[in-house]
mmCIF file of all heavy atoms in Angstrom:
data_model
loop_
_atom_site.group_PDB
_atom_site.id
_atom_site.type_symbol
_atom_site.label_atom_id
_atom_site.label_comp_id
_atom_site.label_asym_id
_atom_site.label_seq_id
_atom_site.Cartn_x
_atom_site.Cartn_y
_atom_site.Cartn_z
ATOM 1 N N GLN A 68 -16.315 22.760 0.002
ATOM 2 C CA GLN A 68 -15.765 21.732 -0.603
ATOM 3 C C GLN A 68 -14.362 21.735 -0.590
ATOM 4 O O GLN A 68 -13.578 22.613 -0.213
ATOM 5 C CB GLN A 68 -16.182 21.609 -2.189
ATOM 6 C CG GLN A 68 -15.710 22.842 -2.902
ATOM 7 C CD GLN A 68 -16.181 22.829 -4.333
ATOM 8 O OE1 GLN A 68 -17.148 22.198 -4.687
ATOM 9 N NE2 GLN A 68 -15.498 23.518 -5.276
ATOM 10 N N ARG A 69 -13.728 20.544 -0.962
ATOM 11 C CA ARG A 69 -12.213 20.398 -1.019
ATOM 12 C C ARG A 69 -11.686 21.057 -2.427
ATOM 13 O O ARG A 69 -12.243 20.767 -3.399
ATOM 14 C CB ARG A 69 -11.828 19.051 -0.873
ATOM 15 C CG ARG A 69 -10.208 18.896 -0.768
ATOM 16 C CD ARG A 69 -9.893 17.381 -0.506
ATOM 17 N NE ARG A 69 -10.592 16.847 0.619
ATOM 18 C CZ ARG A 69 -10.169 15.650 1.197
ATOM 19 N NH1 ARG A 69 -9.301 14.863 0.388
ATOM 20 N NH2 ARG A 69 -10.782 15.244 2.204
ATOM 21 N N ASP A 70 -10.796 21.969 -2.312
ATOM 22 C CA ASP A 70 -10.294 22.764 -3.451
ATOM 23 C C ASP A 70 -8.816 22.574 -3.568
ATOM 24 O O ASP A 70 -8.047 22.465 -2.720
ATOM 25 C CB ASP A 70 -10.625 24.172 -3.381
ATOM 26 C CG ASP A 70 -12.051 24.557 -3.439
ATOM 27 O OD1 ASP A 70 -12.821 23.816 -4.099
ATOM 28 O OD2 ASP A 70 -12.622 25.435 -2.769
ATOM 29 N N LEU A 71 -8.336 22.687 -4.929
ATOM 30 C CA LEU A 71 -6.964 22.603 -5.323
ATOM 31 C C LEU A 71 -6.388 23.762 -4.617
ATOM 32 O O LEU A 71 -6.800 25.018 -4.868
ATOM 33 C CB LEU A 71 -6.748 22.565 -6.744
ATOM 34 C CG LEU A 71 -5.293 22.486 -7.209
ATOM 35 C CD1 LEU A 71 -4.544 21.394 -6.739
ATOM 36 C CD2 LEU A 71 -5.339 22.771 -8.702
ATOM 37 N N VAL A 72 -5.068 23.722 -4.046
ATOM 38 C CA VAL A 72 -4.333 24.705 -3.699
ATOM 39 C C VAL A 72 -3.114 24.918 -4.658
ATOM 40 O O VAL A 72 -2.954 26.015 -5.318
ATOM 41 C CB VAL A 72 -3.766 24.664 -2.212
ATOM 42 C CG1 VAL A 72 -2.689 25.707 -1.895
ATOM 43 C CG2 VAL A 72 -4.855 24.528 -1.264
ATOM 44 N N ALA A 73 -2.435 23.900 -4.870
ATOM 45 C CA ALA A 73 -1.262 23.906 -5.785
ATOM 46 C C ALA A 73 -0.938 22.435 -6.166
ATOM 47 O O ALA A 73 -1.144 21.468 -5.361
ATOM 48 C CB ALA A 73 -0.034 24.572 -5.209
ATOM 49 N N ARG A 74 -0.391 22.316 -7.269
ATOM 50 C CA ARG A 74 0.137 21.010 -7.775
ATOM 51 C C ARG A 74 1.519 21.055 -8.506
ATOM 52 O O ARG A 74 1.643 22.137 -9.135
ATOM 53 C CB ARG A 74 -0.939 20.127 -8.335
ATOM 54 C CG ARG A 74 -1.461 20.746 -9.723
ATOM 55 C CD ARG A 74 -2.695 19.962 -10.171
ATOM 56 N NE ARG A 74 -3.297 20.660 -11.216
ATOM 57 C CZ ARG A 74 -4.432 20.353 -11.739
ATOM 58 N NH1 ARG A 74 -5.279 19.328 -11.143
ATOM 59 N NH2 ARG A 74 -5.007 20.929 -12.718
ATOM 60 N N ILE A 75 2.125 20.042 -8.533
ATOM 61 C CA ILE A 75 3.458 19.983 -9.176
ATOM 62 C C ILE A 75 3.709 18.670 -9.900
ATOM 63 O O ILE A 75 3.293 17.671 -9.314
ATOM 64 C CB ILE A 75 4.591 20.387 -8.146
ATOM 65 C CG1 ILE A 75 5.930 20.357 -8.818
ATOM 66 C CG2 ILE A 75 4.631 19.299 -7.010
ATOM 67 C CD1 ILE A 75 7.036 21.054 -8.089
ATOM 68 N N SER A 76 4.140 18.771 -11.205
ATOM 69 C CA SER A 76 4.283 17.549 -11.980
ATOM 70 C C SER A 76 5.676 16.953 -11.528
ATOM 71 O O SER A 76 6.543 17.482 -10.772
ATOM 72 C CB SER A 76 4.304 17.898 -13.393
ATOM 73 O OG SER A 76 5.341 18.622 -13.675
ATOM 74 N N MET A 77 5.901 15.822 -12.038
ATOM 75 C CA MET A 77 7.205 15.094 -11.771
ATOM 76 C C MET A 77 8.392 15.875 -12.304
ATOM 77 O O MET A 77 9.531 15.844 -11.771
ATOM 78 C CB MET A 77 7.119 13.679 -12.534
ATOM 79 C CG MET A 77 8.353 12.806 -12.192
ATOM 80 S SD MET A 77 8.399 11.188 -13.084
ATOM 81 C CE MET A 77 6.785 10.527 -12.777
ATOM 82 N N ALA A 78 8.151 16.568 -13.500
ATOM 83 C CA ALA A 78 9.245 17.402 -14.090
ATOM 84 C C ALA A 78 9.262 18.757 -13.340
ATOM 85 O O ALA A 78 10.159 19.554 -13.724
ATOM 86 C CB ALA A 78 8.794 17.585 -15.524
ATOM 87 N N GLY A 79 8.319 19.134 -12.500
ATOM 88 C CA GLY A 79 8.499 20.518 -11.782
ATOM 89 C C GLY A 79 7.576 21.411 -12.249
ATOM 90 O O GLY A 79 7.610 22.566 -11.678
ATOM 91 N N SER A 80 6.760 21.187 -13.245
ATOM 92 C CA SER A 80 5.746 22.210 -13.623
ATOM 93 C C SER A 80 4.588 22.486 -12.467
ATOM 94 O O SER A 80 4.199 21.444 -11.973
ATOM 95 C CB SER A 80 5.071 21.842 -14.979
ATOM 96 O OG SER A 80 5.971 21.666 -15.892
ATOM 97 N N THR A 81 4.319 23.718 -12.239
ATOM 98 C CA THR A 81 3.332 23.982 -11.217
ATOM 99 C C THR A 81 2.237 24.765 -11.533
ATOM 100 O O THR A 81 2.252 25.413 -12.689
ATOM 101 C CB THR A 81 4.054 24.874 -10.019
ATOM 102 O OG1 THR A 81 4.512 26.010 -10.646
ATOM 103 C CG2 THR A 81 5.315 24.100 -9.554
ATOM 104 N N ASN A 82 1.116 24.721 -10.809
ATOM 105 C CA ASN A 82 0.029 25.516 -11.015
ATOM 106 C C ASN A 82 -0.679 25.760 -9.642
ATOM 107 O O ASN A 82 -0.558 24.862 -8.776
ATOM 108 C CB ASN A 82 -1.071 25.141 -12.082
ATOM 109 C CG ASN A 82 -1.788 23.873 -11.737
ATOM 110 O OD1 ASN A 82 -1.154 22.746 -11.614
ATOM 111 N ND2 ASN A 82 -3.021 24.001 -11.415
ATOM 112 N N TYR A 83 -1.212 26.986 -9.458
ATOM 113 C CA TYR A 83 -1.707 27.424 -8.187
ATOM 114 C C TYR A 83 -3.098 27.937 -8.201
ATOM 115 O O TYR A 83 -3.556 28.354 -9.411
ATOM 116 C CB TYR A 83 -0.775 28.613 -7.636
ATOM 117 C CG TYR A 83 0.606 28.271 -7.364
ATOM 118 C CD1 TYR A 83 1.484 28.213 -8.460
ATOM 119 C CD2 TYR A 83 0.934 27.740 -6.050
ATOM 120 C CE1 TYR A 83 2.855 27.937 -8.094
ATOM 121 C CE2 TYR A 83 2.269 27.445 -5.784
ATOM 122 C CZ TYR A 83 3.174 27.429 -6.860
ATOM 123 O OH TYR A 83 4.496 27.115 -6.537
ATOM 124 N N ALA A 84 -3.867 27.847 -7.291
ATOM 125 C CA ALA A 84 -5.219 28.548 -7.189
ATOM 126 C C ALA A 84 -4.908 30.030 -7.159
ATOM 127 O O ALA A 84 -3.906 30.536 -6.552
ATOM 128 C CB ALA A 84 -5.827 28.125 -5.823
ATOM 129 N N ASP A 85 -5.813 30.759 -7.749
ATOM 130 C CA ASP A 85 -5.555 32.218 -7.946
ATOM 131 C C ASP A 85 -5.523 32.828 -6.495
ATOM 132 O O ASP A 85 -4.692 33.847 -6.338
ATOM 133 C CB ASP A 85 -6.757 32.762 -8.538
ATOM 134 C CG ASP A 85 -6.792 32.641 -10.085
ATOM 135 O OD1 ASP A 85 -5.634 32.239 -10.576
ATOM 136 O OD2 ASP A 85 -7.891 32.792 -10.639
ATOM 137 N N SER A 86 -6.090 32.386 -5.533
ATOM 138 C CA SER A 86 -6.130 32.970 -4.143
ATOM 139 C C SER A 86 -4.806 32.776 -3.524
ATOM 140 O O SER A 86 -4.621 33.459 -2.469
ATOM 141 C CB SER A 86 -7.269 32.391 -3.280
ATOM 142 O OG SER A 86 -7.082 30.884 -3.232
ATOM 143 N N VAL A 87 -3.921 31.902 -3.905
ATOM 144 C CA VAL A 87 -2.718 31.710 -3.117
ATOM 145 C C VAL A 87 -1.361 32.133 -4.048
ATOM 146 O O VAL A 87 -0.309 32.179 -3.652
ATOM 147 C CB VAL A 87 -2.459 30.257 -2.776
ATOM 148 C CG1 VAL A 87 -3.714 29.816 -1.869
ATOM 149 C CG2 VAL A 87 -2.273 29.321 -4.003
#
Side-chain angles (χ1 to χ4, degrees):
Q68 66 181 21
R69 188 177 298 186
D70 291 325
L71 173 69
V72 176
R74 59 189 172 197
I75 183 168
S76 71
M77 188 187 303
S80 298
T81 60
N82 65 293
Y83 297 89
D85 288 342
S86 60
V87 306

